[in-house]
Amino acid sequence: MPPMQLHWDIFCRVVDNYGDIGVCWRLARQLAAEHGKRVRLWVDDLASLQPLCPVCDPALSAQALAGVEVRHWTDTVTVDWFAEAKTADVVVEAFACELPPDYIAGMAQRPAPPVWLNLEYLSAESWVESCHGMASPHPSLPLTKHFVFPGFSSSTAGLPREAGLPSAPLAALPAIPEISLFCYATAPVASLLEAFTGSPRPLRCLVPPGQPLAAVRACLGGDGPWQLGLARIEPIPFLAQDDYDALLRRCAINFVRGEDSFVRAQWAGRPFVWQIYRQDDDAHRVKLDAFLDRYCAGLAEPAATALRALFLAWNTGADCTAAWSDFLGHHDEIAQHAAAWNAALRAQPDLATNLVKFCAARV
């Protein structure tokens, strides 16, 4: 195996709580477990990794976790430490986090330059297909950075997906369906809870700690659980990644946010409602609309209209009571569509496999 395929460095700055580190941790684990790579993950906030990987010790500067060497990336990391660590054969700059200048200098001193990837955020916009793989030479050093874009088509880098990842079987709702609620503080949680209050059948809503549980407590008071008519709202512990994936497969409907849980909801094959990370000047709305256009392309009316309405209400903070009712009214169609979408995505190569191939071609 060529040396360039052996050693990878992934740099991650935590911006969106668990989204950035969630994607990077999954990629690092998969590269090590399935592709036999030596992987170092440099993280500036180990406290955000610890809930996803409970055996992580945020106090350690270096540790081995699931076959990955995890290092704490701080502004005080010395030149000597980078010299001791040595630069990798493949360097992943996740989400434009900006590599340390000393590390870039080390990259330039290698006999052969490493493959330098800027892993971009996921987008369903069509322009990412033409920009995927684009090269950007360094202005003063003999280095070239390539921009790689995760996406939903074969013209992109694909989506994170481990080998053998199960999806939920397509089946009718259980007697008491479960709903997972993972959202930002700006979600219209109050109107959703009002809709739950009028539910004609029993349901359980499972709420993890952080912004979701804080939003529910702000509406209902106390620590829960709460009973709203036939709906039971239950706090749950924060789950490690694999346990959270299993929860998504178990639930009838999943409210997800950001990037990592958004992708995992699609792999679960269940109906979901996505809250996108809000950006200045409503730039996120373009990305949301692009995904809805792509996702709803195979969904017949009026189910597509119902799905769009709930996504938009959830992302704009509008009252979602009526939209929730319409969404439930088309649940079976939306569930079948979610399963078909899942199957279509699984026919494409995953992100880690595509990145390995991309780098092998540049040895």
Side-chain angles (χ1 to χ4, degrees):
M1 184 177 292
M4 189 163 291
Q5 295 183 329
L6 292 179
H7 192 180
W8 291 53
D9 268 349
I10 302 173
F11 285 83
C12 175
R13 288 195 183 276
V14 177
V15 177
D16 176 21
N17 291 315
Y18 306 110
D20 305 289
I21 184 57
V23 172
C24 292
W25 177 233
R26 290 186 192 276
L27 176 61
R29 285 196 302 166
Q30 187 180 358
L31 286 169
E34 297 180 18
H35 297 277
K37 310 307 177 190
R38 290 173 49 212
V39 183
R40 276 187 309 224
L41 176 60
W42 298 83
V43 186
D44 69 333
D45 182 5
L46 288 174
S48 291
L49 175 59
Q50 195 275 332
L52 304 177
C53 176
V55 296
C56 172
D57 184 346
L60 296 179
S61 59
Q63 56 195 300
L65 303 170
V68 175
E69 181 182 353
V70 178
R71 294 210 177 193
H72 190 196
W73 174 23
T74 72
D75 293 334
T76 59
V77 170
T78 65
V79 176
D80 290 340
W81 195 15
F82 280 125
E84 173 271 324
K86 298 182 181 179
T87 57
D89 305 306
V90 178
V91 181
V92 180
E93 182 180 353
F95 314 125
C97 64
E98 298 186 4
L99 300 181
D102 293 324
Y103 189 90
I104 294 176
M107 291 165 59
Q109 293 170 6
R110 290 172 57 97
V115 179
W116 183 3
L117 306 178
N118 189 93
L119 178 63
E120 293 286 346
Y121 286 106
L122 171 64
S123 178
E125 296 170 278
S126 58
W127 63 265
V128 305
E129 297 178 348
S130 60
C131 292
H132 172 57
M134 185 176 292
S136 176
H138 192 279
S140 60
L141 297 174
L143 298 170
T144 299
K145 181 192 301 187
H146 289 85
F147 292 84
V148 291
F149 288 82
F152 300 92
S153 77
S154 58
S155 299
T156 68
L159 299 173
R161 186 187 77 246
E162 307 86 70
L165 180 68
S167 58
L170 184 58
L173 289 177
I176 302 181
E178 293 179 323
I179 297 168
S180 71
L181 178 60
F182 188 47
C183 63
Y184 296 117
T186 53
V189 171
S191 66
L192 181 65
L193 294 174
E194 181 181 348
F196 287 170
T197 302
S199 175
R201 62 183 300 177
L203 63 83
R204 296 174 65 213
C205 179
L206 308 176
V207 188
Q211 295 182 47
L213 186 56
V216 171
R217 283 174 172 163
C219 296
L220 303 179
D223 295 325
W226 302 270
Q227 193 70 35
L228 306 176
L230 297 178
R232 181 176 174 85
I233 317 300
E234 298 182 12
I236 61 172
F238 196 94
L239 300 175
Q241 281 187 330
D242 294 343
D243 295 331
Y244 180 69
D245 294 348
L247 174 71
L248 295 177
R249 293 191 296 270
R250 192 180 83 205
C251 287
I253 300 172
N254 294 298
F255 285 81
V256 292
R257 75 182 199 195
E259 181 168 327
D260 185 56
S261 62
F262 168 52
V263 172
R264 307 316 285 192
Q266 293 171 71
W267 292 137
R270 295 291 199 188
F272 67 93
V273 183
W274 176 39
Q275 186 179 17
I276 191 172
Y277 184 76
R278 181 169 289 185
Q279 295 177 294
D280 294 337
D281 301 323
D282 285 342
H284 60 287
R285 285 293 305 274
V286 176
K287 295 181 179 181
L288 176 64
D289 290 339
F291 174 73
L292 287 173
D293 288 344
R294 191 179 291 266
Y295 186 69
C296 291
L299 181 60
E301 298 292 350
T305 297
L307 185 146
R308 281 181 178 273
L310 184 55
F311 269 60
L312 293 177
W314 194 243
N315 279 278
T316 58
D319 188 305
C320 64
T321 307
W324 171 251
S325 178
D326 289 343
F327 187 90
L328 286 184
H330 297 282
H331 176 272
D332 289 351
E333 297 168 75
I334 294 172
Q336 292 173 0
H337 177 71
W341 174 262
N342 176 302
L345 289 181
R346 285 173 184 266
Q348 301 177 19
D350 63 89
L351 175 66
T353 298
N354 279 332
L355 293 185
V356 168
K357 290 180 179 178
F358 185 90
C359 294
R362 286 157 179 80
V363 173

